[in-house]
Amino acid sequence: MSNREVVVLSVGGVRFVTRASTLQRFPESRLARMLSDDDQEFKLVNGEFFVDRDGTLFSYIMDFLRTLQVSLPTDFSDYRRLQREAEFYGLYPLADLLSQEHLLKPRLEILEVRFSLQEMQAFFRIFGSCSTTVETLAEQITVFTGQQSGQSWNSPFPSQKPLIPLPLERPSHHDMVFQCGTDYSAGDQFVARYVSIKPDNRKLINGTNVLGLLLDTLLKDGFRLISTRTVSSAEKVECYSFERRRRPAGLTVTVSQTPGSSGAAQAKRSLVQKGK
């Protein structure tokens, strides 16, 4: 039986097909010994191993055996039950990780957009609890400046002169500041600032349009608008607050066994950076 390449398991009525080598990833686990030992918990019925355990949770066990990573849904909450299943199968490195829920639970990320409209100019300040998200958003936003003659900020036509990209102001790693619209310069000249937000290629000068595109970009990126409020009615400063739950960096297990070791395989945890 230990030489079979493909193994079929029926766990709580849910059928799994895998390689024998996958089940043998942790040689001292019950799943590895199942292929050669006579374990009463694993009944061989019509060529399939029947296990009277939770089939849904076993899918996470199989994913761990195949990837050596713990990947759980954002709304997952059965850490204790999955830890108990890992202990039942003798997968103690996995059980050890699951005992530290704070490493695996999704974290709440907050983003705040402040918007101020003053005559022909609009001012934006974005603050985020995650500096990586703010950095990524800053890479999507470009402000272009140029001079116009006799055009207001509501004009849909960009300046005929080449527009010059400007770096965003970054007071800290957690926030950024930029503005758009027009301001008077010498004589009849206007200094115009356009904003472009990737992947949209338009260059917008109207502050309300920029705000709409920015909010739409955040919603598409998984944020949820949780509140809007007026910070300063005198200065017409509006504040939009967003949140999203993000899974922290994935955890992997590196297995190293020493001669004569007993019980669980010695395991080391390491972080794998994912997403933004």
Side-chain angles (χ1 to χ4, degrees):
M1 180 66 69
S2 61
N3 293 325
R4 290 182 58 178
E5 182 179 359
V6 178
V7 181
V8 181
L9 301 94
S10 177
V11 183
V14 182
R15 195 168 182 266
F16 297 87
V17 181
T18 187
R19 292 179 179 272
S21 58
T22 301
L23 299 177
Q24 294 168 335
R25 180 67 67 91
F26 294 85
E28 297 185 16
S29 71
R30 293 182 74 177
L31 289 170
R33 300 198 310 269
M34 172 189 74
L35 301 179
S36 55
D37 294 348
D38 183 18
D39 192 323
Q40 293 300 314
E41 291 289 348
F42 302 92
K43 303 288 186 180
L44 189 59
V45 180
N46 297 326
E48 299 183 6
F49 286 98
F50 174 76
V51 191
D52 191 16
R53 304 293 293 192
D54 191 304
T56 300
L57 293 179
F58 189 72
S59 64
Y60 301 119
I61 300 286
M62 285 303 308
D63 183 59
F64 172 75
L65 289 174
R66 288 165 175 154
T67 66
L68 288 183
Q69 295 187 19
V70 181
S71 301
L72 301 173
T74 303
D75 58 352
F76 186 83
S77 60
D78 288 336
Y79 295 95
R80 291 287 182 260
R81 290 182 60 213
L82 185 54
Q83 180 185 351
R84 188 169 65 240
E85 293 300 293
E87 292 172 347
F88 169 81
Y89 293 110
L91 295 171
Y92 298 105
L94 175 59
D96 175 60
L97 290 178
L98 291 168
S99 68
Q100 304 177 65
E101 295 182 27
H102 65 283
L103 295 176
L104 300 170
K105 283 186 174 180
R107 298 173 183 177
L108 190 63
E109 182 179 351
I110 301 296
L111 196 73
E112 183 178 278
V113 176
R114 294 200 173 195
F115 170 68
S116 176
L117 191 61
Q118 299 176 16
E119 296 182 353
M120 294 188 295
Q121 296 185 80
F123 299 86
F124 293 84
R125 183 160 192 166
I126 302 174
F127 172 84
S129 59
C130 177
S131 61
T132 305
T133 297
V134 176
E135 185 70 34
T136 301
L137 186 58
E139 293 174 356
Q140 294 178 254
I141 300 174
T142 306
V143 176
F144 297 89
T145 185
Q147 285 194 338
Q148 302 181 34
S149 298
Q151 290 187 16
S152 70
W153 81 316
N154 289 313
S155 172
F157 304 105
S159 171
Q160 297 300 318
K161 298 180 180 180
L163 297 178
I164 304 172
L166 297 176
L168 297 183
E169 294 183 47
R170 298 294 306 277
S172 74
H173 293 294
H174 287 274
D175 62 344
M176 72 178 93
V177 178
F178 63 93
Q179 68 183 88
C180 63
T182 58
D183 191 15
Y184 283 107
S185 182
D188 195 30
Q189 294 292 319
F190 286 89
V191 175
R193 288 183 177 86
Y194 299 84
V195 174
S196 178
I197 305 177
K198 297 178 181 178
D200 194 296
N201 294 319
R202 291 174 296 170
K203 293 180 176 63
L204 303 176
I205 196 171
N206 184 293
T208 304
N209 293 342
V210 174
L211 176 65
L213 179 57
L214 176 60
L215 301 187
D216 186 58
T217 300
L218 294 175
L219 293 173
K220 289 180 179 178
D221 199 32
F223 280 97
R224 182 173 68 93
L225 181 64
I226 56 175
S227 69
T228 59
R229 68 183 190 277
T230 300
V231 178
S232 172
S233 56
E235 298 179 1
K236 299 180 180 179
V237 179
E238 300 174 359
C239 179
Y240 299 80
S241 298
F242 294 82
E243 71 174 19
R244 70 174 170 185
R245 292 188 178 275
R246 296 202 62 182
R247 177 67 58 188
L251 288 173
T252 65
V253 172
T254 303
V255 181
S256 60
Q257 291 182 289
T258 58
S261 64
S262 60
Q266 297 179 359
K268 295 181 180 180
R269 296 189 303 273
S270 60
L271 292 177
V272 176
Q273 296 298 330
K274 293 181 178 178
K276 300 175 182 177

